Structures are given as structure tokens and as C-alpha cells.
Amino acid sequence: MGGQSDEAAVAAGFIDARARSEFIAICLVGFFFSFTNNYSSLLAIVFERSGHSLQDAGLLLSLFAIPAMLAALLSSMACARIGVLPTVRLAIFLTMIGMGSIAFTRESFWLSLLARLVQGAGVGLFLPAAMVYSQSRINRKRFVYFITVFSAVIPLAAIAPPIGAWTLEHHGFAALFAEAALPSAFAIAITYLLRAAARPSDSGGLNLGAGLQKRLLLPYATILIGGMLYGYSTSYLAADLHQRAIALAAFYVPSSIALVAMRFVAMRVLASMALPILVVASLGAYAAGFVLIALANGPLLMIVGALAYGIGNSIMLPVVAAWVVEGLEPQDRSGPQSVNISSFYFGLYATPWPIAHLIASVGYVATEWIIAAIAVAMMIVVAGFVLRQARTTD
């Protein structure tokens, strides 16, 4: 019976029968972790109400990038030295402590910075290690699709900001950050139900190995831009919607619906397409989304923009994560994932500071037009790569 169950699971895309439930469990871990971290979308509001200037708030949001990127680069080494699951647990714990402590540090720039640095270290460690674990539960049969499914849980927790905004308005800062930290406790508990994954090969040093190949420069540059596009929504869009008197739900709910529909339904079909072509589609949808967001003067157009944004967001991270490990054996994937996620975090967390200055100079709407133009420029670059590849193949 066990052999038949394993055969069925392997045919479905898993390494064995138990791996199916472990894959679902690591998806839940990712969701609960992301639920905690997505409360970061409210930090611009929290820091503003705590007396910080827009520039100081932008600095608190951006300096988070330093530990996040460093920890992402160190994640491959951590997975090899202490194990994949212990690295995941450490990442969740640091994120929970960092986020929860802002309830007490929010009025002090330096103490808030310390809390953000701790949170950043946790966030940096989490995604590469969790990606390695989730990929260890699946085989090549439906590899891209299941990476997409796992990646869906990260932005799926975008329902957190509207919930957090309601809590902040009705119950204050302490309740907001207690609510933010609680899901991470659930995530840590779930990890103790999982089997350990095989440790990645330890090549010494940062253990980046196959992640330092020239062919990966384009995927890394693309995911950096993708991080910036996603980062605007997590850092400043909530404040922009407040200023325009548009409900946060008009963006965050439709974008989450589009993301879920794409990753759980449409990607079953799209996963068979060439990965760079999917990236071109992602950047085009992102650009359209930002144009519509900039044009919106009420909830209806914002909802349409959110749907386009959600489609772009749904494709970017999982597809590039599959692109960078294409053709690699499991033991060689942690290095590329570390550099890939570090590039994503640079775009996600390092850009809020310069964007804060851009917003201060030209406003939210003009900034959104500029971001849309950057997405179009990157789309042209990747499309050029696709065309060159097609000519070489012919």
C-alpha cells in the first residue's frame, strides 16, 4: 500500500507520499510568516504617526535591506551548517521578535532601526531556506507549477494590511504588533511536524557555488526590478491610498485574488511556456497595473489596476526562482536561490529610501508613472534576450 501511495505521489509531482502533506505544511509556514511580515506595509503610517519625517521613515524602511540582503546571502551557508529547517525556524523567530518589538520602539529612530535590522535578518534568511525546503519535497514532473504554488503564499498574505489597518484604528499600536507577531508562533510550531531536508553541499565560505554564473545576471537584474515593483505596494501604496481617500481593500483584496487565480489555476497551463517569456508577461502586467493605479481617482479603476498588478506579481518571483535553478541538481540550488532572493530583497527593501525622496519631490502619482516606465524598460531588455535566444536556436 505504501509503495502504491508513493507511486501516486511521485506521479503527482512529489518525492514520496509524505512529501505531499509536508509541501502543504511548508506552504502554511510561508503564509503565517508572510502574514507577520506583511504588517510592514503599515509601518510608513506607524512611523509618521509616531513623529518621524517622511525621509526618516523611508530610511527606517530602506535600511532593512542591509540585513535582509546579507542574511539572504548567508542562508545557503546556514542551511549547509545547521540544516534547512533550523534555518527556517531561526528566520521566523527573528522576524517575529523584530516586528513585535516595534510596539515599544516606534517613537525612537535608533531603537526602531534596531528592531528593523532584527526583522530584516529574519526575512533575509527565510525565503531562500524555505524555497530549498519546498523544492526538496517535489520532483521535476511539475517543478515550476509547485514552486509557483509555494510562492503564492508569500504575497497571498497581503490580506494582512487591511486587517492591521482596522486593528490600528480601533485598538492602537500594541494590539497591532501583538496581532502581527502571533502568526509566526504558529509557523514555528508547524515546522516541528516536518522531516528534515538533506543539507545542501557545503563548498565553504558563503556556499554560493553555482549562484555565481554569468548566465544568471539577467535573472538577478530582473528580480531586483521585480522587488522594487512589489516593494512600492508594501511601503508606500497604503499611504497613497489614504491620501486619495481610497479604501486599502480596493487594492490589496483584488491583487490577492488575481495572484491566487494565476498561481493556482492559470499557471497549470502557463508553466509549460519558456520562463523568460513569462517574465516579459509579468513586467508588462506590472507596468499596466502601475499606469492604472496612477490614473485611479476612485475604487473602480484602482481595482482594475490591482488585478493587473496581481497578475504581474503572481508570475515574477516563482518564475525567476525556477529560471535560476533550471538544469541544476537539488544539492546545487541553494547558492542561486540565495543570490536570487538577495537581489529581490535589494529591490524590495533598498529602494524605499530613494523613492521617499522621489515622492517628496514629485508626489505619489508621478512616482507611479516613473515606476511603470522602469517596468517597461526592463520588459524590453528581457524581450530582447528572448529574441536573441530564438535566433540562436534557429
Side-chain angles (χ1 to χ4, degrees):
M1 183 67 72
Q4 290 179 339
S5 298
D6 283 344
E7 288 177 11
V10 169
F14 302 96
I15 59 171
D16 58 31
R18 188 174 170 185
R20 188 195 303 266
S21 61
E22 289 176 321
F23 181 80
I24 294 171
I26 195 65
C27 286
L28 284 174
V29 169
F31 175 79
F32 285 130
F33 168 85
S34 298
F35 207 95
T36 290
N37 192 53
N38 279 358
Y39 275 69
S40 297
S41 298
L42 299 169
L43 290 181
I45 298 170
V46 169
F47 290 139
E48 179 186 352
R49 292 186 184 180
S50 299
H52 299 286
S53 67
L54 178 63
Q55 287 78 9
D56 280 352
L59 200 57
L60 287 170
L61 296 174
S62 290
L63 289 176
F64 181 95
I66 296 173
M69 288 186 296
L70 289 176
L73 286 173
L74 291 170
S75 65
S76 180
M77 181 179 70
C79 287
R81 307 287 169 80
I82 68 173
V84 177
L85 276 180
T87 301
V88 170
R89 290 184 196 115
L90 176 61
I92 299 169
F93 178 76
L94 291 174
T95 304
M96 178 177 65
I97 294 299
M99 175 60 78
S101 64
I102 296 175
F104 309 102
T105 66
R106 61 186 177 82
E107 294 181 349
S108 165
F109 177 87
W110 293 108
L111 291 178
S112 293
L113 177 60
L114 178 60
R116 288 287 286 165
L117 294 179
V118 171
Q119 182 192 356
V123 170
L125 282 174
F126 179 79
L127 194 52
M131 278 280 191
V132 170
Y133 187 85
S134 65
Q135 290 173 4
S136 75
R137 304 299 94 182
I138 59 180
N139 59 40
R140 292 189 179 276
K141 185 176 179 65
R142 301 172 71 193
F143 190 76
V144 174
Y145 174 68
F146 281 125
I147 291 178
T148 301
V149 170
F150 172 74
S151 299
V153 302
I154 306 302
L156 179 60
I159 59 172
I163 295 172
W166 184 90
T167 301
L168 178 61
E169 295 303 327
H170 291 83
H171 300 289
F173 294 107
L176 172 70
F177 289 106
E179 180 180 277
L182 185 60
S184 283
F186 295 146
I188 291 172
I190 292 171
T191 64
Y192 286 97
L193 303 175
L194 306 177
R195 289 177 295 178
R199 294 188 183 188
S201 304
D202 189 353
S203 60
L206 293 178
N207 202 49
L208 297 178
L212 302 178
Q213 300 178 57
K214 186 178 178 180
R215 71 175 183 85
L216 298 178
L217 290 177
L218 180 60
Y220 293 156
T222 303
I223 201 66
L224 187 154
I225 297 300
M228 181 202 69
L229 297 169
Y230 179 44
Y232 183 82
S233 74
T234 62
S235 296
Y236 295 116
L237 191 56
D240 180 24
L241 294 178
H242 269 292
Q243 189 176 90
R244 287 195 251 178
I246 299 174
L248 269 62
F251 174 82
Y252 290 103
V253 173
S255 64
S256 297
I257 291 171
L259 184 145
V260 171
M262 284 294 295
R263 290 194 176 175
F264 287 97
V265 181
M267 283 304 292
R268 287 180 179 271
V269 177
L270 297 177
S272 62
M273 295 176 62
L275 300 177
I277 293 176
L278 289 174
V279 170
V280 171
S282 170
L283 289 164
Y286 259 132
F290 271 99
V291 167
L292 292 167
I293 289 167
L295 291 172
N297 57 6
L300 184 59
L301 199 55
M302 183 60 68
I303 288 170
V304 179
L307 291 172
Y309 174 97
I311 291 170
N313 191 20
S314 71
I315 298 171
M316 177 63 69
L317 181 60
V319 169
V320 178
W323 191 6
V324 298
V325 299
E326 203 170 25
L328 297 179
E329 295 301 318
Q331 65 271 19
D332 299 321
R333 293 173 187 161
S334 63
Q337 290 299 359
S338 292
V339 181
N340 183 51
I341 299 302
S342 181
S343 301
F344 176 70
Y345 285 158
F346 184 86
L348 180 60
Y349 298 122
T351 57
W353 186 51
I355 286 176
H357 289 274
L358 185 60
I359 292 169
S361 298
V362 301
Y364 288 108
V365 172
T367 298
E368 287 152 8
W369 280 105
I370 292 169
I371 290 173
I374 292 171
V376 170
M378 194 70 225
M379 180 182 69
I380 292 169
V381 171
V382 180
F385 168 79
V386 172
L387 290 173
R388 286 194 301 274
Q389 222 179 22
R391 292 195 194 102
T392 303
T393 303
D394 293 343

